[in-house]
Amino acid sequence: MSTPGRGIPSDGAGAGTGIRLHAPAPGWSLDADVVVVGSGVAGLTAALRCAAGGRRTVVVTKARLDDGSTRWAQGGIAAALGEGDTPEQHLGDTLVAGAGLCDEAAVRLLVTEGPDAVRRLMATGAVFDTSEETGEIELTREGGHHRRRIAHAGGDATGAEISRALVEAVQAAGIETVENALVLDLLQDAQGRTAGVTLHVMGEGQHDGVGAVHAPAVILATGGMGQVFSATTNPSVSTGDGVALALRAGAEVSDLEFVQFHPTVLFLGPEAEGQQPLVSEAVRGEGAYLVDADGVRFMVGQHELAELAPRDIVAKGIMRRMQEQGAQHMFLDARHFGAEMWEQRFPTILAACRAHGIDPVTEPIPVAPAAHYASGGVRTDLQGRSTVRGLYACGEVACTGVHGANRLASNSLLEGLVFAERIAEDIITQRYDSAGPVVPVPATGPLQPATARHEIQRIMTDGAGVLRSAASLSTAAGALEALYATALNDLEAHGKTAEPGVDTWEATNLLCVARVLVAAAERRVETRGCHWREDHPDRDDADWRRHLVVRLSATEKRALVVIPTDSADFPAVEPLNPPSLEQ
C-alpha cells in the first residue's frame, strides 16, 4: 500500500493451511488462463478486460450471471463527474468517512481513475439517468458527500442497469461462464502458487457436481458476507465464500470488524430474517428526513450534514434514539416528495414499500439499521494481488484500503470497477508460468450441519451487531468456538462430519468468517467507524489507528493469528515463496 508498515511474520502464510472443505473429488475440469469467481461489477469488468487482453477467461458465479450483489445496488456510483467537483474533494470525503484508516494512496487512485472508469462503463453499454434540459448525467448526493456526485440509472435501479450492460457485453464477447456454481477451495502447487479452483455446480447443465477450473490466476469477486447476520440487505448467496476460501489458502484478511450497517432498511418486524428491503441513502440525498414517532428530526445538531452524515454516524444516531425511547425503529419521512417524484425517482423503493403495506407518499417509512457491507476482506495491494501468488480479489470481498473503518456511500461500485481494471492490466502484462502439479490436500476441517447457519446468525446478531461490548463479543466468541469444537470432535474422535453439500459448505464458510470478525472486534477496544464498542465509546488514535491482519495458522489448526499493524499503513502485500506444501 502507500507506505509499507512492518512486515508480518509468515508462519507459512501463502502456503495454504492444510484445511479444505470435505467434498467429492472433481469429476470434470476446464482449463483457462484466468478464472473469475463472481458476476457483479467487479467480476464481469475483470473478465471483459482479461478476455480483451487475449487471456482465456472463465467466469464462475454462484447464481445466474445477472444475479450478483451489484444488481441490488440502488443509489448509484460515486465519481467526480459534475461541474465544480474534483477528485481531491472526493478524496477528502472518503478519508473523513473512513475514520483514519483509509490508505490514502488507494483512495487517490480510486478517485482519480474513477471518472474515466465510469465513462468506459458507459461505453460498454450502461445508461445513466440524464437531465432532460442539458443531456448531462444527473447527479445526486448521499451520506458523507459534500457534493452531488452520485450517478444513477432507472431512478433507483443503478445496479440492475450496470449488471445488464456487463452481462450483455460478456455474452457478446463469448466468454465461457459456469452458472449456479459454488466455489469450494483454491488449487495450489507445491510452492503455494495458485492453480485454479474447485467448485460445485448446482443443477443441470453442461457441468454438474464437483469440478475444477485449472488456471494460474484466480480473481475473487464473490461479494460480501451479510448472511452472517440475521437481518441484512445482502442476497442469500452472500455467505463469505471468497474470504473463507482465501483464508484456507493461506491468504491474509484485514478489517473484518468493520461491518457497515445501513441506517435505513425497511423495518419488517423484530423477528424478520434474511434479506431485507433497502431504502437507499439517495432518498435522504433528495431531502427526506429521519424522525422519531413524535416527528422530531433527531439527527439535526448531531452532525453538520444531519441525515446525510456518514453511515456509521447515522446508524448510531438511530440506535441511540431507539434506546432512549425504547423503540424498535425510527421513521424516514419523504411525504413532501409527492407521488410523481416517488414514481419517477424511486420506483423500486416505492414498489417494495407498498408490497409490505407502506405507502411512502402518504406515510413515513419505518426504518432500522441492518447489516449491509463488509469494509474489510482479503488484503490486497493496488493491483488487487493478495498474499497468495496468483490469487487476486476485488469488490466487496477485498480489502484494498479504500474504505478504512467505514465505506463512503456509493464508493463500492466504483471500487469494484477501478480495481477490476487494474487486476486485468496486471494479469495481461504479467507472464504467468503455469503452476506446477496441483498438490492434493485432504479435507481436515469439519463441515457444519445446515442447521448451524441459523445459530451462527443468531449469535452474531446478538453479540457482534451494531452495538458491541467485551461481554457480548466474549459470549459470541465462546458460542462460535463451541460450534467449531463440537464438529471437530465428531470428526477427529468419530470420523463423522456433516454431509457435503451446498447448505453445509455455506454454513462452514459463515462460521469461518464469523470467527475472524469476532476475534478482530474483540481485539479492537475502541469505537471507530462502523465498529461501535459500548464499553469503549471513544476513538483511540494513539493505540488503535492501525489495522488488524488475520490469517489461519498453518501450524496450529483451528487457530486464528491476529496481528495489529504498527500504523494505519498496511504492510506491503508481497506474495511469499513458502516452503513446499509436500514437506
Side-chain angles (χ1 to χ4, degrees):
M1 290 288 179
S2 57
T3 305
R6 67 175 173 83
I8 292 184
S10 71
D11 187 30
T17 61
I19 301 173
R20 291 292 183 271
L21 293 174
H22 286 262
W28 55 270
S29 65
L30 298 172
D31 292 319
D33 297 322
V34 185
V35 56
V36 179
V37 188
S39 61
V41 62
L44 295 186
T45 298
L48 284 166
R49 299 294 183 268
C50 286
R55 298 295 184 265
R56 290 178 301 162
T57 304
V58 173
V59 175
V60 172
T61 186
K62 195 172 180 181
R64 297 185 309 276
L65 200 59
D66 63 351
D67 206 20
S69 293
T70 292
R71 185 167 68 87
W72 298 97
Q74 294 176 345
I77 185 167
L81 297 166
E83 184 178 352
D85 197 6
T86 64
E88 199 69 23
Q89 293 176 68
H90 191 182
L91 172 90
D93 286 346
T94 301
L95 294 179
V96 169
L101 282 187
C102 295
D103 182 272
E104 186 167 339
V107 179
R108 191 170 295 280
L109 181 155
L110 178 83
V111 300
T112 54
E113 296 187 5
D116 283 343
V118 172
R119 294 183 184 101
R120 285 189 289 273
L121 178 62
M122 294 169 63
T124 303
V127 179
F128 292 96
D129 296 336
T130 56
S131 168
E132 292 182 2
E133 290 80 19
T134 67
E136 298 293 323
I137 294 176
E138 283 188 337
L139 301 172
T140 189
R141 278 183 68 194
E142 291 186 357
H145 293 272
H146 282 79
R147 282 190 174 272
R148 286 183 170 263
R149 66 167 65 97
I150 316 300
H152 49 83
D156 58 359
T158 309
E161 170 58 18
I162 290 174
S163 179
R164 178 205 62 77
L166 291 174
V167 166
E168 289 184 4
V170 164
Q171 291 172 335
I175 296 172
E176 185 168 4
T177 60
V178 182
E179 296 181 300
N180 301 307
L182 169 63
V183 68
L184 300 177
D185 280 303
L186 192 73
L187 296 171
Q188 293 171 275
D189 69 8
Q191 298 304 314
R193 293 176 300 190
T194 293
V197 293
T198 55
L199 62 156
H200 174 77
V201 179
M202 301 167 273
E204 298 179 359
Q206 183 178 356
H207 307 289
D208 198 10
V210 175
V213 181
H214 298 284
V218 171
I219 303 173
L220 294 178
T222 51
M225 58 185 73
Q227 289 292 323
V228 79
F229 295 97
S230 297
T232 177
T233 62
N234 291 190
S236 62
V237 294
S238 297
T239 51
D241 307 321
V243 170
L245 173 149
L247 283 163
R248 289 192 294 269
E252 295 173 348
V253 304
S254 187
D255 296 358
L256 242 62
E257 67 269 36
F258 297 116
V259 176
Q260 187 176 84
F261 286 76
H262 199 289
T264 54
V265 175
L266 184 62
F267 181 75
L268 299 180
E271 304 303 319
E273 295 182 345
Q275 187 178 10
Q276 310 291 301
L278 175 67
V279 182
S280 171
E281 202 152 286
V283 178
R284 281 175 281 139
E286 296 292 351
Y289 307 132
L290 280 167
V291 298
D292 61 19
D294 297 321
V296 177
R297 287 182 62 190
F298 55 88
M299 285 304 299
V300 174
Q302 293 197 34
H303 189 276
E304 61 166 335
L305 296 176
E307 285 91 355
L308 285 176
R311 286 179 178 174
D312 63 310
I313 293 172
V314 179
K316 290 170 187 174
I318 291 173
M319 291 299 296
R320 287 194 187 99
R321 198 66 161 191
M322 286 164 56
Q323 288 178 322
E324 291 169 2
Q325 299 187 343
Q328 295 180 327
H329 62 82
M330 290 289 108
F331 293 93
L332 187 64
D333 192 349
R335 289 174 290 180
H336 53 285
F337 284 6
E340 183 178 357
M341 181 174 175
W342 267 110
E343 291 165 0
Q344 293 183 0
R345 180 68 177 84
F346 301 110
T348 306
I349 298 170
L350 178 64
C353 288
R354 284 177 170 170
H356 291 282
I358 299 154
D359 189 350
V361 177
T362 60
E363 60 187 316
I365 306 167
V367 293
H372 182 57
Y373 190 89
S375 293
V378 180
R379 194 166 76 84
T380 72
D381 65 8
L382 298 183
Q383 282 69 49
R385 295 176 292 207
S386 78
T387 50
V388 172
R389 193 173 300 279
L391 179 65
Y392 295 80
C394 56
E396 191 174 356
V397 71
C399 182
T400 63
V402 160
H403 303 309
N406 180 50
R407 174 178 67 92
L408 180 66
S410 289
N411 268 357
S412 50
L413 291 176
L414 189 70
E415 183 199 31
L417 189 63
V418 168
F419 281 87
E421 292 188 341
R422 294 183 69 81
I423 288 172
E425 180 182 5
D426 193 67
I427 289 174
I428 291 166
T429 57
Q430 294 280 338
R431 181 178 179 85
Y432 272 97
D433 296 326
S434 296
V438 172
V439 175
V441 178
T444 55
L447 290 179
Q448 291 294 312
T451 54
R453 178 171 181 150
H454 178 76
E455 182 65 10
I456 293 164
Q457 292 172 333
R458 184 195 62 77
I459 292 167
M460 293 297 290
T461 298
D462 291 345
V466 180
L467 300 177
R468 302 167 178 175
S469 67
S472 75
L473 291 167
S474 176
T475 298
L480 294 172
E481 183 59 29
L483 288 176
Y484 190 93
T486 297
L488 185 65
N489 181 67
D490 285 345
L491 179 64
E492 294 182 343
H494 309 293
K496 296 179 180 178
T497 191
E499 185 70 22
V502 173
D503 290 344
T504 57
W505 289 323
E506 286 186 333
T508 303
N509 286 338
L510 284 171
L511 181 61
C512 177
V513 297
R515 292 178 66 221
V516 174
L517 192 162
V518 169
E522 273 195 293
R523 188 74 172 267
R524 184 173 291 279
V525 287
E526 65 158 353
T527 290
R528 181 184 298 271
C530 49
H531 172 65
W532 187 4
R533 287 283 297 260
E534 291 181 283
D535 50 345
H536 296 276
D538 298 321
R539 173 170 154 176
D540 180 1
D541 279 349
D543 290 332
W544 283 107
R545 192 164 179 254
R546 62 189 70 228
H547 302 273
L548 291 171
V549 175
V550 185
R551 62 172 177 267
L552 296 182
S553 172
T555 56
E556 184 183 350
K557 290 187 172 59
R558 292 200 300 165
L560 298 175
V561 181
V562 184
I563 303 175
T565 61
D566 277 348
S567 71
D569 297 315
F570 275 126
V573 173
E574 296 177 353
L576 304 173
N577 289 312
S580 170
L581 286 173
E582 296 178 314
Q583 293 180 351

